[in-house]
């Protein structure tokens, strides 16, 4: 079964290095909790496409994400991807929509204008979570697969070319100003992420 964890820090750190360190700290914390018999340190390597893996424990699949004050990680026994995006005004998101799957574009532009950017961010975390789980990142054309934006409702990725099945979930984050999604070959996705408290650095 896939597990998804998220942490929020009181101060938004704009520096990529500290955000990344927070995400790694979250991952190490939950690995110690989930696998108490597995000895650390948990050093991460990257494959040829940049996908992280645990160098000494490749049987444990992991993925990380961070944005604004949020850090998220997912782990399991099958390929997994997670993405979190803090809600903030983005100037170039509309240009990206031209690269999306035609049905995703249609769904997006049918959305009320006031909600369109939020829907785009929800769609974007879904797309990112699949690209990260699949392992090719942005090397995978955005229009080669379709994902439906339905918070709290599990779905399966519809790929234009035959491929291994992947399952996804966009979380309903309530009052939190972020979007969070997970995707995996494992269909057992947790209905909610687990919040973890980490001390500030």
């Amino acid at each position: 079964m896939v597990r998804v964890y998220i942490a929020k820090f009181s101060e938004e750190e704009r520096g990529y290095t500290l955000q990344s360190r927070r995400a790694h700290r979250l991952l190490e914390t939950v690995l110690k909790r989930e696998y108490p018999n597995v000895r650390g340190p948990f050093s991460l390597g990257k494959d040829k496409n940049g996908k992280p893996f645990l160098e000494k424990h490749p049987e444990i699949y992991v993925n990380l994400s961070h944005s604004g004050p949020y850090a998220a990680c997912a782990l399991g026994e099958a390929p997994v991807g997670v993405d979190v995006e803090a809600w903030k005004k983005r100037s170039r998101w509309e240009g990206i929509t031209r690269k999306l799957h035609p049905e995703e574009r249609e769904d997006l532009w049918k959305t009320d204008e006031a909600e369109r950017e939020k829907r785009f961010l929800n769609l974007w975390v879904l797309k990112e979570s699949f690209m990260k789980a699949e392992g090719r990142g942005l090397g995978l054309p955005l229009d080669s697969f379709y994902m439906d934006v339905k918070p709290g409702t599990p779905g399966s990725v519809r790929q234009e070319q035959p491929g291994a099945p992947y399952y996804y979930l966009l979380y309903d984050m309530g009052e939190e100003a972020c979007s969070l999604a997970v995707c995996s070959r494992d269909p057992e996705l947790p209905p909610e992420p687990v919040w973890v408290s980490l001390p500030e650095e």
Side-chain angles (χ1 to χ4, degrees):
M1 179 178 172
V2 174
R3 281 84 78 206
V4 178
Y5 297 87
I6 185 168
K8 183 180 181 181
F9 298 87
S10 60
E11 293 184 18
E12 177 173 341
E13 175 55 55
R14 298 187 184 277
Y16 181 88
T17 302
L18 181 54
Q19 286 183 336
S20 179
R21 206 162 59 231
R22 286 172 168 176
H24 282 80
R25 205 152 42 98
L26 173 63
L27 177 63
E28 186 157 324
T29 299
V30 300
L31 282 168
K32 289 176 181 175
R33 179 185 300 177
E34 292 284 345
Y35 300 95
N37 297 323
V38 176
R39 297 184 64 182
F42 299 104
S43 54
L44 285 178
K46 290 188 178 180
D47 68 14
K48 63 181 181 180
N49 295 316
K51 184 176 181 179
F53 66 93
L54 287 173
E55 291 181 330
K56 294 182 179 179
H57 304 284
E59 73 282 4
I60 304 172
Y61 290 85
V62 299
N63 204 242
L64 302 170
S65 182
H66 54 81
S67 178
Y70 299 97
C73 71
L75 55 146
E77 287 72 49
V80 64
V82 68
D83 194 53
V84 64
E85 291 286 338
W87 294 348
K88 53 190 174 186
K89 201 71 178 169
R90 288 165 167 79
S91 57
R92 297 192 296 264
W93 70 270
E94 291 183 354
I96 298 172
T97 63
R98 294 193 296 270
K99 301 178 181 180
L100 298 173
H101 189 279
E103 290 178 55
E104 291 171 340
R105 288 200 305 269
E106 183 180 346
D107 293 343
L108 190 61
W109 294 109
K110 283 193 300 190
T111 305
D112 181 75
E113 187 174 353
E115 292 293 313
R116 199 170 293 153
E117 186 170 358
K118 180 180 173 184
R119 184 178 177 91
F120 170 78
L121 286 175
N122 282 338
L123 176 59
W124 184 251
V125 294
L126 284 168
K127 303 283 272 187
E128 279 270 16
S129 70
F130 171 63
M131 292 186 291
K132 292 168 78 173
E134 209 271 345
R136 284 193 281 162
L138 289 172
L140 189 65
L142 292 173
D143 62 355
S144 66
F145 60 99
Y146 171 80
M147 301 173 85
D148 196 5
V149 178
K150 289 183 178 177
T153 303
S156 58
V157 181
R158 197 178 80 214
Q159 301 178 61
E160 295 298 312
Q161 299 295 324
Y166 281 87
Y167 308 89
Y168 63 84
L169 182 58
L170 173 68
Y171 291 102
D172 182 345
M173 298 303 291
E175 298 300 313
E176 292 294 332
C178 70
S179 297
L180 175 69
V182 65
C183 185
S184 179
R185 285 192 195 167
D186 185 343
E188 287 191 67
L189 304 175
E192 294 181 1
V194 175
W195 286 91
V196 177
S197 294
L198 294 175
E200 298 284 348
E201 291 188 299

